[in-house]
Amino acid sequence: MKNKKLLFFVIIVLLALGGCSEKAQSKEEPKEEPKAPEFYKQTVTLLDKEYVLPVAYKDLEKDGWILVDNDDYELEAGKVIRNRYIRNGAYILDVSFFNPMKDSLPLKETYVATIGAENRTFGSDKASDIKINKGINFATPIETIIEALGDYTKEENAQFITYTFQHDKVSKTEIKLTVENKTIRWIIVESFRI
């Protein structure tokens, strides 16, 4: 009888221990793998077409954006050339071309990494219909832009108040307001991430 009681006791203890180990295993949740950082995407909408910077110039050209300057220029590997202009009808943009490749390329075979649009009409030129990240355009209040884009630095000179939103090492947005009436004069977006 003692053996039966002892055997019964041992079985109960083993079942209890087995149940504990199952509970302990079920309480351990699988560890999630750390996620890679999600890099900031610079999106630009021009004439109802959205692009992600940097964008191949050929894609812009296909949609009617034509280089105003000498298009026979060769851009060296890893280099940037700023203050070039592309036009689509009455709209004109200030752009930077970027060559991330290992060889020199004709400008038309490189990427546009910066797009700047000015909010003014001059002669036959019209202010661009540009929209950037989260639908920001020339009519968006600066407070709304700050809320949407986050941290910024602010500089002021006699002509402009410049808000710079440095999203990461290779991506930024600049909003330039006129000092006199605090309206947006320039929207400039940039990304060199290939």
Side-chain angles (χ1 to χ4, degrees):
M1 183 82 163
K2 281 186 178 180
N3 286 342
K4 283 186 182 180
K5 286 184 180 179
L6 181 60
L7 181 60
F8 181 74
F9 178 74
V10 169
I11 290 172
I12 298 286
V13 169
L14 288 174
L15 287 174
L17 288 176
C20 289
S21 66
E22 284 179 28
K23 286 180 184 176
Q25 288 175 358
S26 66
K27 285 184 181 179
E28 288 181 30
E29 294 179 17
K31 293 181 181 178
E32 284 188 34
E33 291 293 317
K35 293 180 181 175
E38 194 171 310
F39 291 111
Y40 197 88
K41 285 186 180 176
Q42 288 286 52
T43 59
V44 179
T45 303
L46 302 165
L47 301 174
D48 297 322
K49 175 86 185 258
E50 185 175 87
Y51 305 93
V52 176
L53 295 182
V55 58
Y57 171 69
K58 286 182 179 184
D59 292 342
L60 291 166
E61 186 179 44
K62 179 180 64 178
D63 294 331
W65 292 97
I66 306 301
L67 188 59
V68 173
D69 302 322
N70 176 9
D71 59 6
D72 294 332
Y73 187 85
E74 288 263 329
L75 189 56
E76 292 178 34
K79 298 292 182 178
V80 175
I81 185 167
R82 296 186 182 276
N83 300 110
R84 294 293 183 142
Y85 297 91
I86 60 175
R87 176 181 287 283
N88 191 334
Y91 301 111
I92 191 164
L93 301 171
D94 183 354
V95 299
S96 294
F97 285 88
F98 171 50
N99 180 5
M101 304 306 172
K102 294 180 181 178
D103 297 313
S104 293
L105 291 172
L107 213 52
K108 285 187 165 193
E109 293 179 27
T110 63
Y111 290 83
V112 171
T114 307
I115 293 179
E118 187 176 13
N119 185 13
R120 76 173 183 145
T121 300
F122 182 75
S124 62
D125 294 342
K126 290 184 184 177
S128 171
D129 70 336
I130 191 169
K131 289 182 192 140
I132 63 166
N133 307 321
K134 305 183 195 268
I136 294 166
N137 61 29
F138 289 124
T140 307
I142 191 63
E143 296 78 16
T144 304
I145 296 171
I146 291 168
E147 186 177 309
L149 300 183
D151 293 338
Y152 63 92
T153 58
K154 181 179 172 182
E155 293 179 24
E156 191 170 341
N157 61 28
Q159 195 173 11
F160 296 115
I161 303 166
T162 303
Y163 292 82
T164 302
F165 301 87
Q166 189 72 47
H167 308 298
D168 54 38
K169 289 181 182 179
V170 295
S171 169
K172 71 178 179 179
T173 301
E174 283 186 4
I175 306 292
K176 293 180 181 270
L177 278 62
T178 58
V179 169
E180 59 193 41
N181 60 14
K182 309 291 190 281
T183 58
I184 297 176
R185 181 65 176 266
W186 281 93
I187 294 176
I188 304 164
V189 289
E190 180 173 281
S191 179
F192 289 93
R193 178 172 288 103
I194 293 292

